[in-house]
Structure formats: structure tokens, C-alpha cells
Amino acid sequence: MATYARPVERLITELSKLPSIGPRSAQRIAFHVIRGKKEDAIGLAEALKEVKEKIKPCRRCFNLTEADECEICRDARRDRSVICVVEDPYDIGPIERTNEYRGLYHVLGGALSPLDGIEPEDLRIAELIERVRNEGTGELVIATNPNTTGEATALFIAQEVKDLPVRVTALASGLPVGGDLEYADEVTLGRAFAGRREL
Amino acid sequence: MSAYLRALRLVNFRNYVDATALLAPGLNIVVGENAQGKTNLLEAIAFNVTGSSPRTPKENEVVRWGADFTRTEARVALDGSTDERSVAIGYAPGQKKRITVDGASATSLTEYAAGGAGARVVTFFPDDIRVVKGAPSDRREFLDALLSSLRPAYARAALEYAKAVAQRNQLLRRIRDGFSSGRTLATWDRKVVDLGKTVLAGREAALPVLEEHFKDSLRTLYGPEKAAIRYGYSATLEEYSEALREAHSADVERGTTSVGPHRDDFEVLLGGVNLTTFGSQGQQRLATLALKFAARDYVREAVGEDPILLFDDVMSELDERRREYLAGYFLESTQAVISTTNLEYFDDEVLRRTRIIRISGGSILETATDGVRK
């Protein structure tokens, strides 16, 4: 037996399919929408519809875009000899905000994980190798996540391109800037030690 | 002087609703009838100091029946000065533990477990005899827990290693069942070996030191026969990569990784005899105790501080000579909390220097400092 009218139940069900939203949060959001202004609700519905209709992967790097190619790939000022390899489109934002990187990107769409049934064919690794061949890429900066699956993916890519004339690098992992050593967690500090550099 | 616990408060922990134990440096004896909560009090101390239960991996068991959360709070006296740290753990099953040190949230459980509370513990529960008597996994667990409590980098490597092996095992099964071409097998081998080498190197460095302490302890507890610990490799550091590669087809067939530190073991030997297979119950029990004492010495050497000893019902199966020795050992330690049903095990001289905590039905009845027998 449903507790609420059918449209309300439907909204709660749909909301609870979203990540990190349980039945309770779904109910809270649903009632927030019901109490709120009609324009806001319709705005949200249209935004959802628009994003599904208009957004697609960039045909070159698989970043999200409205056009065939994303803004970064179209930007003539970017350094086309470097490709930064990330797992997901949302990894690009943080790197862009550093204003340190001026090269291109390549979005893999995840990381190798036999436990989740993810094989190289499920990622855009073949497409990456194709790009390295065609675009004469000089350097791949692999920026997968610093966990087991991300690191395995990095190793695999390095292995796959080892016969091509491309340099493969990975992001360093280490200490946050502006912090005190005393407050660094010991695992990060341990890694920073392992990757220490000459001064 | 090393750190010790001044007080522990338990809320909804096992059979305790809300109780506070006041602890002293040196020997503390928790006394009470069976099934009143002595073991639970020792478990709560370890839970508070390390962030997890030494008795069970199913931690929802520590929450009192009918309650939806548990909370423990401890006051830790640091290096014998008046400096004090307050550490608390709140835990509701299914949720992340809330660990605070002086009111500030701890960054991670791994880091907290490696000394975040300002103190460390070495525990002995009667069931720990499985470290000597039981399966290889019991011995690996003992070694990994000890090293993880001292080195967060080891703890992380061991954790990540287990994940990498799980990934590799799944890949092996996918290859066997035709779901994967196995193009990534060499990559997972490399990942497994990278992490496995850290684990193996950590164990290799620790074992000779641990063995020396073990020999000393067992000599005192048992007798002059020659004791030894011998690590049993599925592959040594040098052979590791090669051995893993050679195991490819057999591993695919079985769907599991047959080589690496997760398959290793160590033998506990007395007079050249393997105690796991041939030891008597008494020998196994004394060897377990000797391993725990060795762990204490190892921690002391590694961090320069004594760990707190939490020994559950350790006296009941020992003869008088050994009980006397142990009582002296605990009296001399920075802090030991031990449990017993019977104060007759201790002579008056020991009891005079001991804090006695009486327990009944999940309540702490009284804390006596004079140690008068009642």
C-alpha cells in the first residue's frame, strides 16, 4: 500500500535512484519540490531534459560537450603535444582550475577493475593509442586516481604505448601545500618520502 | 613513563549500559563471576585505543542488544605528566565510526589505529591460542595487526594488497570462463607484486627481532629448550615476480592467486618441533603468551613506549610458579589490565599494589585501591 499519492511515490522512487540519496533523503527532496514554486520545479525538469538531449562526449577526448568537439579541444592556444589522461569528465575541472596545465585531455570513462567486469575494451584506451599515433603526442600525463584500480590502469596504459615515441608521466602524490608536516596524514607523508626529489 | 589509561566510560557497549572504570598505572585486576562483563571491559579498552574490536570482525556485536549505537570515551595520561588526551569513539552499525581526539575528528581509522590515541595495546584473549594452534591465516593476522599498529604505510600496503589480489583473482576467473582475454594480467601481476613486496619486506624486517623476544619470553615461561620462529614463504622477495608469472596457468585454472604474502605462514618451533601440529595444549598456550610478550617488547623497541597490556583470564590455566612470574611482570609494566574470577591467584603483596575493579552484571561495583580481599 502506497503512503502517498501515486505521482509523489513516483518522484520519491526516481530520486532514490540517484547516488548517495537514500529513501529518507528522497522523501525530503520530494516534499521540498512539492512545497516550492512551480517555476523552480519545471526549471529543474527542463535542465534534466536538456542535459540528456544536448550533452554528448567530445569525439576527440570524450569530455562532455554540446558540439562535436569540446571547448578545450577546439581552443587553438592549447598545447597539442601533451595529453592528460583522466578517469572521468569531472576530473578535468580541478586540473583546469590550477591554471598550470595547458595541454589536452583524454577521458577513459573509468578504470580497469575485474571485480566490476571492466576490461580495457570498456575504456577508451584504444582511442587514446589511436590519438597518440595520429596527433604525434609527445607526452602522456596519466592522472588516474591514486588507488588500486587507477594505478593499475596507469601501468596498463604505460605498457600499451611503450613502443610509441611518447613520454609517459604520472602525477606525483605528496603533501598539501601551505600545511604543516605535523598535520599530514602518515600515508601521504610516507608517499611523499618515497617520491622525494633532489634540491 | 609511557602512556596509560586513567578512565574509560562505556555506553551501550556489549552488556554495559553506562559505566565508568577508573584505572591506575601498573596492575589492574578486573574481578567478577563468569559472564558479568570482564572480557567486555578489556575489549572496550582495545576498541577505544585501536578503533576496532580485537575479538570480532562483526563489530555490530559490540553494540548492546536493543541499542542502536555504542560510545566509549577514554582519558589517556601521556608520558606520566599531567598532560592528558581524551579520545572517544561513537559507532552505529552501518555507519562510519566517529573518532575524536581531544574533540577533533581523526582523519582516518588506519591512522588512528597506528597510535592516534597516544597509547597502544597488546591483547590476550583465551581464543588467541589459535595464533599457534590454528590456521596460517590466524598467524598472518597476528603479524599484520602488530605491524599495522606501528606503521600506517604497512597497514595501507596490506589493505591495498588484499584489494589487488581480489582484483587479480576475479580476472583469473574471467579468463578461465572466457569473459576476458587476459590482456591486463601482467598489469595486475605488477600491481600485486609492488604491494606484496612492501608487505613481505615489512614482515622480513620484523620477524628476526620478534623471534629474539619470543625466544627470551618462552625461555622464561617454559624452559631452556630452543625456541624459534621460521617464516614459510610461498615465494621469496627475489623469486616473487617470476613465481607469480610461472603460476599463471595453474592460477587461471583454480581462479585464485597461489603465490604471495597472503599465502605465507610462520612456524612456531620448540626444540625443533612444530607446535601447531605437535604441541600440547599447554605448550601452545605458553607459546601464545610468549608471542604476546614478544609483541610487547617489539612495540616498546619500535616506538620507545610500553603498550598497555590487556590479558583476559590468563591465570586460570597456569601453575603457581608461572602465575607468580606473570603477576610480577604485570606489576612492572606501565599498565596492565587483566581479568580473573579468582583473586586467590594473587598473594597479598601483589594485591596491595594493585587496583581492583569489581564487576557484576555489566556494572562496575567499586574500584578499590587498597586491594583488600573481600
Side-chain angles (χ1 to χ4, degrees), chain A residues 114-115 119 148 151 186-187, chain B residues 152 156 160 167 180 183 191:
Chain A
L115 284 172
E119 298 277 341
T148 310
E151 283 169 1
E186 281 141 9
V187 170
Chain B
R156 179 183 176 274
E160 291 293 314
Q167 290 280 10
S180 171
R183 282 211 291 147
K191 195 73 207 132

Side-chain angles (χ1 to χ4, degrees), chain B residues 221-280:
Chain B
L221 284 169
Y222 187 79
E225 273 156 281
K226 200 169 179 306
I229 297 177
R230 194 186 299 146
Y231 193 78
Y233 291 94
S234 55
T236 62
L237 267 177
E238 298 74 43
E239 309 161 337
Y240 192 4
S241 315
E242 188 59 34
L244 198 62
R245 199 166 334 120
E246 277 172 14
H248 271 179
S249 57
D251 280 3
V252 166
E253 205 169 296
R254 261 175 277 159
T256 60
T257 301
S258 60
V259 182
H262 69 296
R263 299 296 287 255
D264 294 352
D265 192 3
F266 64 86
E267 285 183 294
V268 182
L269 302 163
L270 183 63
V273 173
N274 184 332
L275 288 181
T276 302
T277 330
F278 300 108
S280 70

Side-chain angles (χ1 to χ4, degrees), chain A residues 112-122 125 146-149 151-153 155-160 183-187 190-191, chain B residues 107-108 110-111 114 152-153 156 159-161 163-164 166-168 170-171 173-174 179-184 187-188 190-191 194-195:
Chain A
L112 291 174
S113 173
L115 284 172
D116 299 304
I118 297 174
E119 298 277 341
E121 298 73 35
D122 301 310
I125 292 175
N147 53 30
T148 310
T149 56
E151 283 169 1
T153 309
L155 286 176
F156 182 73
I157 292 170
Q159 185 63 32
E160 291 290 289
Y183 297 118
D185 81 87
E186 281 141 9
V187 170
R191 281 204 156 200
Chain B
T107 44
S108 80
T110 321
E111 206 192 322
R156 179 183 176 274
L159 222 63
E160 291 293 314
Y161 173 71
K163 282 188 203 164
Q167 290 280 10
R168 186 178 185 271
Q170 187 61 31
L171 179 63
R173 290 191 278 271
R174 287 173 61 87
F179 290 107
S180 171
S181 62
R183 282 211 291 147
T184 59
T187 302
W188 284 107
R190 228 181 113 185
K191 195 73 207 132
D194 275 356
L195 293 161

Side-chain angles (χ1 to χ4, degrees), chain A residues 128-133 137 140 158-168:
Chain A
L128 173 65
I129 293 166
E130 211 37 47
R131 277 184 74 184
V132 172
R133 281 215 179 86
T137 308
L140 282 184
Q159 185 63 32
E160 291 290 289
V161 300
K162 76 171 193 308
D163 296 330
L164 298 174
V166 61
R167 181 172 170 233
V168 184

Side-chain angles (χ1 to χ4, degrees), chain A residues 30-187:
Chain A
F31 279 91
H32 177 84
V33 169
I34 291 164
R35 267 196 308 272
K37 280 190 260 165
K38 191 175 177 182
E39 303 89 86
D40 289 344
I42 288 174
L44 176 63
E46 278 170 357
L48 289 171
K49 197 157 164 277
E50 188 184 11
V51 84
K52 289 309 285 182
E53 283 171 358
K54 292 198 179 156
I55 292 296
K56 55 188 176 184
C58 167
R59 68 171 176 202
R60 183 187 296 269
C61 77
F62 302 96
N63 184 16
L64 298 177
T65 176
E66 277 187 84
D68 278 349
E69 280 195 2
C70 73
E71 274 184 48
I72 295 170
C73 286
R74 280 188 318 224
D75 187 341
R77 292 164 304 173
R78 310 280 310 202
D79 178 355
R80 309 192 89 77
S81 71
V82 192
I83 297 177
C84 176
V85 181
V86 295
E87 290 183 21
D88 291 296
Y90 50 72
D91 295 327
I92 292 177
I95 299 174
E96 281 298 288
R97 285 195 290 276
T98 65
N99 284 322
E100 291 292 334
Y101 179 68
R102 301 301 300 158
L104 302 178
Y105 289 93
H106 189 86
V107 179
L108 293 171
L112 291 174
S113 173
L115 284 172
D116 299 304
I118 297 174
E119 298 277 341
E121 298 73 35
D122 301 310
L123 304 174
R124 283 126 187 177
I125 292 175
E127 290 87 338
L128 173 65
I129 293 166
E130 211 37 47
R131 277 184 74 184
V132 172
R133 281 215 179 86
N134 296 339
E135 296 176 21
T137 308
E139 181 178 353
L140 282 184
V141 183
I142 304 189
T144 50
N145 291 323
N147 53 30
T148 310
T149 56
E151 283 169 1
T153 309
L155 286 176
F156 182 73
I157 292 170
Q159 185 63 32
E160 291 290 289
V161 300
K162 76 171 193 308
D163 296 330
L164 298 174
V166 61
R167 181 172 170 233
V168 184
T169 56
L171 293 188
S173 56
L175 298 170
V177 175
D180 290 331
L181 265 193
E182 192 192 342
Y183 297 118
D185 81 87
E186 281 141 9
V187 170

Side-chain angles (χ1 to χ4, degrees), chain B residues 54-74:
Chain B
R55 281 170 77 197
T56 174
K58 288 178 258 163
E59 289 200 312
N60 52 339
E61 288 174 8
V62 307
V63 179
R64 189 172 62 86
W65 184 253
D68 47 18
F69 77 98
T70 183
R71 182 175 166 82
T72 60
E73 302 166 10

